[in-house]
Amino acid sequence: MSQNTKYLLSVVVPCYNDMQCLDEVLDRVRTACEGCVDDFQLILVDDGSDDGSWEKIESLAAREPHITGVCLTRNFGQERALLAGLRHCTGDLVLLLDADLQDPPELLPQMLRGIERGADVVYGQRQSRRGESSLKKLTAWSYYVLFNAIAEIEIPRNVGYFRLMTRQVADAIVNLPQQPYFLRGVGAWVGYRQEPLRYVRDPRTVGTSGWPMKRMLQLATQGVVSFSTLPLRLPLYLAIGCAIALLLVASTSQVREALVSDGASMIVLLSLATVNFLVLGIFGLYLARIHQNNSRMPPYLVRTVVNAPRNRHVKHKGYENAEIETGLHAH
Ligand code: UDP
Ligand code: MG
């Protein structure tokens, strides 16, 4: 994309009870876009908020033709809200942004320079995570280490959803045949030329994080299940360990005697039961993933769209089959 290219930027913002931030989102996005892009559209996705966010989005959209509002039927979570936004945007470039403005839209010019240098994706990489608890930092760090050790792809550390991508990458993501659980993994999986942009992540100015621990754990497991089959091979390694133990027991009378005394046999029994249930649990997680994919449930439902972009099929060649549907978004 040459420096003289005029392009439309879509800014996709999922919103869950972040009503107070929306005026500032619009102001800061507009300012950031000045002089950088030809035009912009702001896709605000209300993910089942109960603080009046949708009414706020409707009133902003009524006076701002730049704004498209997408209202989901309930809270589906940030990942699915982002997917809904991606499916509705029509820009040549797409920026994913949080409504709470922890990731500054002012980095847009720097991100654009990355695209102009030939990158397809410029993703924000947090240099520091100000305002986050030590527990959150530690769990995030441990997860990256574990995930990258066992997954078939590598996700960069300290990277969230904040990124600028070309239409081609956005299309690749939304046209995946499977439900893209764990969008961060999908973002890495699609490949293309990706470039980091290091930045300092600001603390939330108002409100609280909309990610309950239960959902974080679900996402973390989905990530591993979607991108690694190593846990499925775990029973094989455990079987090798058990076979070695069996050989030892069978060949050494001292070990045999130690095991029948002092409740040691009980410990052995319970350890084996634990391992058995662990293996069953792992199988269950993979089975659940297959079940979810087979159930063909859409990832989210849309209640209303305001100011839906109309020019999608005209503007983007190669995207003719991806009809925008209001209501049910089936695959
Ligand atoms: N969000 C959402 N649905 C949810 C939770 C969050 O759309 O169920 C949005 C939220 O409004 C914000 C972004 O996702 O725009 C990031 O959420 P949050 O700030 O709670 O996450 P954190 O920054 O703590 O990771
Ligand atoms: Mg946040």
Side-chain angles (χ1 to χ4, degrees):
M1 208 169 275
S2 94
Q3 281 194 335
N4 301 322
T5 313
K6 298 278 184 204
Y7 38 76
L8 169 69
L9 172 77
S10 300
V11 183
V12 173
V13 182
C15 177
Y16 178 57
N17 293 339
D18 274 329
M19 183 191 100
Q20 302 125 293
C21 309
L22 294 179
D23 282 318
E24 196 183 337
V25 169
L26 176 61
D27 284 350
R28 285 178 60 183
V29 165
R30 196 202 306 276
T31 314
C33 286
E34 267 161 24
C36 281
V37 288
D38 192 36
D39 199 2
F40 76 94
Q41 61 182 198
L42 187 57
I43 316 278
L44 297 174
V45 184
D46 175 35
D47 186 21
S49 305
D50 47 28
D51 69 341
S53 289
W54 177 244
E55 289 70 26
K56 176 76 191 170
I57 292 172
E58 273 184 319
S59 75
L60 285 174
R63 61 179 162 84
E64 275 287 341
H66 289 293
I67 294 182
T68 294
V70 180
C71 182
L72 305 188
T73 54
R74 63 169 173 87
N75 176 246
F76 285 92
Q78 183 181 1
E79 296 236 318
R80 293 169 191 225
L82 280 170
L83 184 63
L86 279 169
R87 283 189 175 160
H88 280 84
C89 70
T90 60
D92 308 294
L93 294 171
V94 184
L95 177 72
L96 305 185
L97 188 71
D98 284 0
D100 59 6
L101 292 163
Q102 282 192 269
D103 308 308
E106 289 74 21
L107 292 177
L108 180 66
Q110 273 169 272
M111 291 177 136
L112 276 170
R113 278 199 285 281
I115 299 283
E116 276 158 6
R117 277 195 299 272
D120 301 295
V121 179
V122 179
Y123 57 84
Q125 186 160 42
R126 303 163 193 173
Q127 261 172 327
S128 73
R129 303 166 70 117
R130 285 194 283 161
E132 285 184 9
S133 70
S134 312
L135 181 69
K136 189 162 180 184
K137 285 182 203 165
L138 180 72
T139 44
W141 179 83
S142 325
Y143 186 67
Y144 278 117
V145 172
L146 174 79
F147 184 91
N148 286 336
I150 67 172
E152 282 131 28
I153 51 161
E154 191 163 327
I155 46 170
R157 264 187 68 188
N158 291 333
V159 174
Y161 302 103
F162 181 47
R163 62 193 57 215
L164 179 67
M165 62 184 114
T166 60
R167 165 63 33 200
Q168 203 185 5
V169 180
D171 283 351
I173 293 174
V174 296
N175 290 330
L176 284 176
Q178 291 205 332
Q179 298 202 10
Y181 294 114
F182 200 55
L183 212 51
R184 288 176 213 202
V186 169
W189 180 89
V190 292
Y192 293 96
R193 276 164 297 178
Q194 306 214 3
E195 200 180 287
L197 174 70
R198 293 174 59 78
Y199 74 108
V200 177
R201 191 168 206 237
D202 295 325
R204 243 180 188 276
T205 41
V206 284
T208 49
S209 173
W211 276 92
M213 191 48 116
K214 187 176 154 208
R215 196 169 266 171
M216 298 262 273
L217 282 173
Q218 272 172 351
L219 186 74
T221 348
Q222 287 284 6
V224 173
V225 170
S226 303
F227 290 103
S228 173
T229 51
L230 187 80
L232 282 176
R233 294 197 296 278
L234 188 69
L236 292 176
Y237 303 123
L238 291 172
I240 295 170
C242 282
I244 294 170
L246 185 68
L247 278 178
L248 272 176
V249 173
S251 59
T252 327
S253 58
Q254 279 146 319
V255 177
R256 259 200 317 270
E257 275 154 30
L259 281 180
V260 287
S261 63
D262 297 325
S265 50
M266 204 58 207
I267 294 175
V268 173
L269 258 176
L270 284 176
S271 317
L272 283 177
T274 311
V275 167
N276 267 315
F277 285 123
L278 173 78
V279 169
L280 276 178
I282 291 173
F283 285 175
L285 289 174
Y286 282 84
L287 211 62
R289 176 85 168 101
I290 299 171
H291 171 70
Q292 275 166 338
N293 274 329
N294 284 346
S295 72
R296 305 182 68 78
M297 294 286 273
Y300 57 83
L301 290 176
V302 175
R303 186 161 66 84
T304 326
V305 181
V306 290
N307 285 354
R310 295 259 167 251
N311 55 347
R312 180 169 207 150
H313 308 291
V314 183
K315 197 164 173 72
H316 302 289
K317 291 205 172 69
Y319 205 71
E320 290 82 355
N321 297 328
E323 291 280 337
I324 294 180
E325 301 150 19
T326 51
L328 189 98
H329 286 258
H331 289 288

